[in-house]
Amino acid sequence: MPEKDLNPLFLDTLKDIYYAEKQIYKSLPKMAKAAQSDQLRAAFEKHHDETEGHIDRLEQIFELLGKPARGKKCDAIEGILDEGKEVMDEYEDTPALDAGLLAAAQAVEHYEISRYGTLKAWADKLSMKEAVGLLDQTLAEEKKTDETLTKIAVSAVNAEAA
Ligand SMILES: [Fe+2]
Ligand SMILES: [Fe+2]
């Protein structure tokens, strides 16, 4: 793909994830409040702080591009977060609530991992070294969060089985 085609696509996708991160930032405190397990609540609170950093790194990339930091409505994240809200409503005060929250949160992380993986590859192709570094830092935190959520899910399942 010629670079002139990849540049607008990179910017568009950056706007998509910028919008998504802001929605995620708003949702995480609600998920933390809903969580029954202390471990899960702590994971959501920690990731809320990290998400602030993700937004900041994206703003740095907009600056590198000389473009204003602006989001573009992302239907995918709206859908994923709506499902999370549904779980919170429908499974409130039930033993399945945390399992539902975990599943919803992992869907969010997988979306982010997919987006950041793509953006990092495109930034590399566009020889945007600084952006590659910033995207890689966030990608590592998203992956780590996903792993933490998997561990919490597995230990909860084990505890229930015992
Ligand atoms: Fe993020
Ligand atoms: Fe995340």
Side-chain angles (χ1 to χ4, degrees):
M1 199 188 294
E3 286 188 7
K4 66 176 180 206
D5 294 335
L6 197 52
N7 273 307
L9 187 59
F10 180 81
L11 180 62
D12 245 14
T13 309
L14 201 65
K15 288 177 179 174
D16 172 291
I17 193 69
Y18 186 60
Y19 177 93
E21 288 284 18
K22 288 197 154 182
Q23 296 304 112
I24 294 163
Y25 187 73
K26 273 193 245 169
S27 296
L28 278 166
K30 291 174 200 162
M31 292 170 78
K33 206 177 158 204
Q36 291 164 337
S37 113
D38 292 339
Q39 209 187 357
L40 183 57
R41 187 177 322 109
F44 286 152
E45 283 169 353
K46 182 183 177 208
H47 201 50
H48 184 244
D49 288 344
E50 286 175 343
T51 299
E52 203 172 352
H54 301 175
I55 292 169
D56 184 69
R57 285 189 197 117
L58 291 172
E59 286 170 354
Q60 289 181 54
I61 298 171
F62 278 111
E63 213 172 303
L64 286 170
L65 291 168
K67 304 276 183 197
R70 217 164 272 158
K72 183 180 172 190
K73 188 170 185 278
C74 167
D75 292 326
I77 202 70
E78 292 282 348
I80 292 169
L81 292 173
D82 277 349
E83 281 186 7
K85 270 181 226 151
E86 252 175 62
V87 165
M88 283 190 263
D89 290 343
E90 286 171 26
Y91 291 90
E92 199 184 356
D93 300 323
T94 77
L97 177 66
D98 277 6
L101 283 172
L102 273 160
Q106 284 198 280
V108 171
E109 294 316 307
H110 293 174
Y111 180 74
E112 290 182 292
I113 289 166
S114 157
R115 279 295 184 241
Y116 281 110
T118 297
L119 280 166
K120 187 188 152 189
W122 287 349
D124 188 50
K125 217 169 172 201
L126 293 167
S127 308
M128 296 177 58
K129 256 195 196 158
E130 218 174 314
V132 171
L134 290 163
L135 293 164
D136 193 49
Q137 284 175 56
T138 298
L139 182 60
E141 285 177 4
E142 308 294 16
K143 283 183 179 167
K144 184 109 196 296
T145 301
D146 183 44
E147 279 163 24
T148 301
L149 294 173
T150 298
K151 273 185 210 150
I152 294 173
V154 169
S155 68
V157 168
N158 288 345
E160 225 155 278

